[in-house]
Amino acid sequence: LTLYCFIRGADGARWWRVAAVALCALGMTAKEVMVSAPLVVLLYDWVFVAGSIRQAWRERRGFYLALFSTWALLAALLLGTGGSNLDILKMMFSPAGSGEPVAKFIGGMSWLDYALTQFGTVVHYLRLCIWPHPLIFDYGSEVAQGFWEIVPAALMVALLLAATVVGVWRRHWAGFAGVWFFLILAPTTSVAPTNQTAAEHRMYLPLAAVLVLLVAGGYAAWSRLQERAARDGRWRALTGWALPALVVALILLGLGGQTLRRNLDYQTKFSIWQDTVLKRPANARTQNNLGGSLLQMGQLDEAITHLKKATQLNPGYAEAHTNLGFAFLQKGQVDEAIACHQRALKLMPDFALAHNNLGNAFLQKGQADEALTHYQKAVEFKPDYANAHYNLGNILIQKGQRDEGIIHYQLVLEIQPEHAEVHYNLGNALLQKGKLDDAADHYRMALINKPDYAEAHNNLGFVLFQKGHPLEAIPFYQKALDIKPDYVEAHNNFGNALLQEGRTSEALGHYESAVKINPTELGALNNLAFILATSPEASARNGARALELAQEASRLSGGNNPVVLHTLAAAYAECGQFAEAMESAGRALALASAQGNTALADALRNERDYYQAGKPFWAIRPAAP
């Protein structure tokens, strides 16, 4: 666009030149390759407009000063980003013997190794312009080694450069095409290392120059052929349209087939990385990325194979070490996972992902304090790391630091407001603090973002039940069970709500379902036993079954749960074993009094009088606890 605006304004239209400078400046903020744009414009002026550099400068000095000034913007941006860009600038402008660490840069390459590799890279790019195969998504940082990898390609590039210089000197359009090609490639295909020795996208702009040469050269060759064929009328039609059409059709067919074939590689992450590994097996980054895609597919053994290969190819590759650790953790090999994450952190101490993953590994091993430390480091190094805040909130809640845990849940929701699990866990924490309305709000938000979240349906129903609205709670329990039919807690809670509404037989059905799914579920065992022992409806009572269930509940609770002992006393009374009922009620009374449960203690004193008189619980007709 910069060149186009100059061409439109070459005859003196000022605003086109202003637009050219503005576009050049914008380009400098977007891509380093724009460094060549002012030179391309100047050379175009020399070859096609002014006739000489001196004339171009004399006529458009202000324009070129403005155009070249955009380099300052690019330099400022490069220095501002730091990292590898700053290292490259230091390398390029440090005097010899200055002691600057110029030997190794990105991927362990030296600038000389990178530069020598670029001769072969340029030849490879030109070959791909003719026939685009094999295409490689990630070339990695492999460098050329040995005479035959460097010298023949260097000679070919030198000849092309010489031809370009001669062409420009003679002001030939083909020379300008050569300049276009080499200048645009120069920022990435010269002495300044990048993270890949080659990358096909670097040819998108230079490809235009190559295609112009190919098309123009092909047209010229065909025109000469037609001139010769014109002497013989029989060949005129053939050379005029039949052979060109056949050639174009074959080219389109071949390139179209290559496009369809390449599209298959891009269908999934796995397919593109698998193709890249097949073509570039010594590239640690591609091995790591293929391992990562296999991890997402759940193919742990294959993922571990490729991730191990990545760490072998590049032992300093922190990301590969932590990905390997993640794979080991998924397989349950916790010690191996911890070792991998620790290696990653030795290489990169501020690697937030590795800290978070190491925290997960320590947590799985039961070392909560170590896990807490690494979650804290993860959010310290990356304050907007939502997953680490979530994990930190979880572990703080588990350790009883509820208020601190809530803070981290809230931080997650600032980053990811739609995070359903965080809304659910925050609702649970608020529920434990007795903030029922706030808890309900977060359960509702969890369901907005994840409508099939059975646990959120159940807990929202529980909040409504606690607020004294059992009828409103019932649809949420039903929805939880529609999603998750074997959800024991929802069956038990549904039974409680139904019982409160006087639907005893339905409540019994849900308690029975809960006990059938999990025979050790204490709440469901106790609730089922209590109804079977105390229901005013004779058809609902079953003393023998109630006693069996209550005894099992007492065993599971260790014999020191006053609510379970209360049920056990009622079951004994229903079976006519009033002495045992008195004894159980007495133990329950002592425990309830010690725990400050005055309501239960008062009820037990009343019930003991009935048991002493030989009357069962249902004769009292109190409200069920």
Side-chain angles (χ1 to χ4, degrees):
L1 288 174
T2 299
L3 181 59
Y4 172 78
C5 288
F6 166 74
I7 294 170
R8 292 296 303 269
D11 59 355
R14 179 181 177 186
W15 289 111
W16 281 109
R17 296 184 199 175
V18 172
V21 174
L23 288 168
C24 190
L26 287 173
M28 295 295 179
T29 68
K31 200 76 173 174
E32 295 92 333
V33 73
M34 275 297 291
V35 69
S36 60
L39 296 175
V40 170
V41 172
L42 179 59
L43 288 170
Y44 181 91
D45 197 353
W46 172 21
V47 174
F48 298 106
V49 182
S52 70
I53 294 289
R54 181 178 299 176
Q55 183 69 19
W57 181 258
R58 184 166 51 248
E59 294 182 3
R60 287 174 278 278
R61 180 184 295 107
F63 169 70
Y64 284 114
L65 286 173
L67 208 59
F68 292 142
S69 71
T70 61
W71 281 339
L73 177 60
L74 176 61
L77 291 171
L78 287 174
L79 290 168
T81 58
S84 60
N85 288 328
L86 185 57
D87 288 339
I88 291 168
L89 288 176
K90 285 180 178 179
M91 174 196 73
M92 295 175 70
F93 296 107
S94 295
S98 65
E100 291 289 341
V102 299
K104 297 293 180 183
F105 288 90
I106 300 169
M109 290 179 282
S110 72
W111 68 268
L112 181 59
D113 286 339
Y114 185 85
L116 292 175
T117 301
Q118 294 313 298
F119 294 118
T121 297
V122 171
V123 174
H124 177 67
Y125 288 159
L126 291 171
R127 186 182 62 77
L128 289 180
C129 293
I130 306 301
W131 183 245
H133 180 82
L135 297 175
I136 300 174
F137 187 70
D138 186 338
Y139 283 79
S141 55
E142 296 178 44
V143 295
Q145 296 177 348
F147 178 89
W148 292 110
E149 285 193 59
I150 298 172
V151 175
L155 289 173
M156 184 177 295
V157 172
L159 288 172
L160 290 173
L161 280 169
T164 296
V165 171
V166 171
V168 171
W169 187 256
R170 294 181 176 179
R171 298 176 59 205
H172 191 278
W173 66 268
F176 177 76
V179 168
W180 174 284
F181 176 80
F182 282 111
L183 276 182
I184 294 176
L185 271 183
T188 55
T189 312
S190 54
V191 298
T194 66
N195 61 0
Q196 294 190 70
T197 53
E200 288 151 11
H201 65 267
R202 296 173 190 166
M203 274 297 294
Y204 291 167
L205 288 175
L207 181 61
V210 179
L211 291 179
V212 167
L213 288 170
L214 288 174
V215 172
Y219 180 81
W222 205 270
S223 296
R224 290 187 180 181
L225 179 62
Q226 281 190 302
E227 288 175 5
R228 293 181 181 180
R231 300 168 190 169
D232 188 342
R234 292 176 301 172
W235 295 99
R236 185 174 299 172
L238 181 64
T239 59
W241 65 268
L243 281 178
L246 178 62
V247 170
V248 170
L250 290 174
I251 291 173
L252 291 177
L253 185 62
L255 294 179
Q258 283 293 97
T259 299
L260 292 174
R261 174 64 188 84
R262 189 58 173 164
N263 285 344
L264 294 176
D265 295 329
Y266 276 93
Q267 284 188 330
T268 65
K269 289 181 181 180
F270 169 75
S271 60
I272 190 61
W273 289 120
Q274 183 185 47
D275 175 78
T276 309
V277 165
L278 288 172
K279 296 169 181 174
R280 218 69 169 177
N283 184 345
R285 186 167 53 244
T286 62
Q287 293 283 358
N288 174 68
N289 290 341
L290 178 56
S293 66
L294 287 164
L295 267 178
Q296 293 178 346
M297 296 165 64
Q299 299 181 27
L300 298 181
D301 291 331
E302 294 87 345
I304 288 172
T305 297
H306 289 284
L307 293 169
K308 280 183 176 179
K309 183 68 174 176
T311 60
Q312 291 164 3
L313 290 167
N314 183 1
Y317 195 174
E319 291 85 352
H321 284 292
T322 203
N323 285 345
L324 180 57
F326 183 82
F328 277 132
L329 189 62
Q330 296 297 302
K331 283 203 72 174
Q333 298 174 233
V334 181
D335 291 334
E336 291 87 342
I338 290 173
C340 289
H341 294 314
Q342 288 174 333
R343 279 194 290 271
L345 290 172
K346 188 174 181 180
L347 294 164
M348 193 187 299
D350 60 349
F351 192 5
L353 176 62
H355 278 294
N356 183 65
N357 287 351
L358 183 54
N360 292 340
F362 276 127
L363 189 63
Q364 191 161 322
K365 198 174 182 182
Q367 296 176 283
D369 290 336
E370 289 83 351
L372 177 63
T373 298
H374 286 284
Y375 291 144
Q376 289 171 332
K377 285 185 177 295
V379 298
E380 175 187 344
F381 291 125
K382 190 177 180 182
D384 61 347
Y385 192 174
N387 195 37
H389 280 293
Y390 177 54
N391 291 335
L392 184 52
N394 289 342
I395 200 168
L396 287 168
I397 294 290
Q398 292 171 16
K399 291 174 72 67
Q401 301 176 41
R402 188 177 299 119
D403 291 336
E404 293 87 343
I406 287 173
I407 289 171
H408 286 282
Y409 287 150
Q410 290 170 334
L411 286 171
V412 176
L413 293 177
E414 289 178 9
I415 302 165
Q416 295 181 358
E418 72 289 350
H419 199 311
E421 286 75 13
V422 176
H423 279 294
Y424 173 74
N425 284 1
L426 181 53
N428 292 343
L430 292 167
L431 180 60
Q432 291 171 5
K433 286 175 67 71
K435 298 184 177 182
L436 299 184
D437 290 333
D438 291 339
D441 289 341
H442 284 285
Y443 291 139
R444 293 184 194 279
M445 286 301 299
L447 291 173
I448 288 172
N449 292 291
K450 189 178 177 182
D452 61 346
Y453 202 161
E455 290 77 7
H457 281 288
N458 174 70
N459 286 17
L460 181 54
F462 181 79
V463 168
L464 293 170
F465 182 82
Q466 291 296 105
K467 291 183 68 176
H469 306 300
L471 194 59
E472 294 178 29
I474 285 173
F476 290 99
Y477 292 140
Q478 183 63 66
K479 184 65 175 178
L481 291 172
D482 289 342
I483 298 166
K484 193 175 176 180
D486 59 349
Y487 192 177
V488 173
E489 185 180 348
H491 276 294
N492 187 55
N493 288 343
F494 200 176
N496 294 339
L498 291 167
L499 189 63
Q500 194 79 6
E501 288 295 304
R503 295 156 64 176
T504 305
S505 60
E506 294 176 70
L508 276 173
H510 284 285
Y511 292 141
E512 291 279 11
S513 295
V515 171
K516 183 178 180 181
I517 295 165
N518 184 3
T520 63
E521 170 57 35
L522 185 62
L525 279 170
N526 182 74
N527 290 340
L528 180 55
F530 190 81
I531 290 183
L532 293 174
T534 66
S535 176
E537 302 172 21
S539 60
R541 293 199 302 275
N542 185 335
R545 178 98 193 284
L547 182 57
E548 177 187 345
L549 294 169
Q551 288 173 332
E552 176 63 11
S554 181
R555 183 188 68 80
L556 290 170
S557 65
N560 56 9
N561 186 317
V563 175
V564 173
L565 290 172
H566 175 230
T567 299
L568 181 60
Y572 276 126
E574 180 62 19
C575 292
Q577 300 178 34
F578 293 106
E580 290 83 352
M582 285 288 294
E583 190 271 335
S584 295
R587 287 164 53 205
L589 177 58
L591 288 167
S593 299
Q595 295 173 7
N597 190 343
T598 56
L600 180 58
D602 292 342
L604 283 163
R605 291 188 185 96
N606 185 39
E607 290 163 21
R608 279 202 313 171
D609 293 339
Y610 273 77
Y611 298 154
Q612 191 171 15
K615 294 181 180 180
F617 182 97
W618 55 266
I620 309 171
R621 295 181 179 273

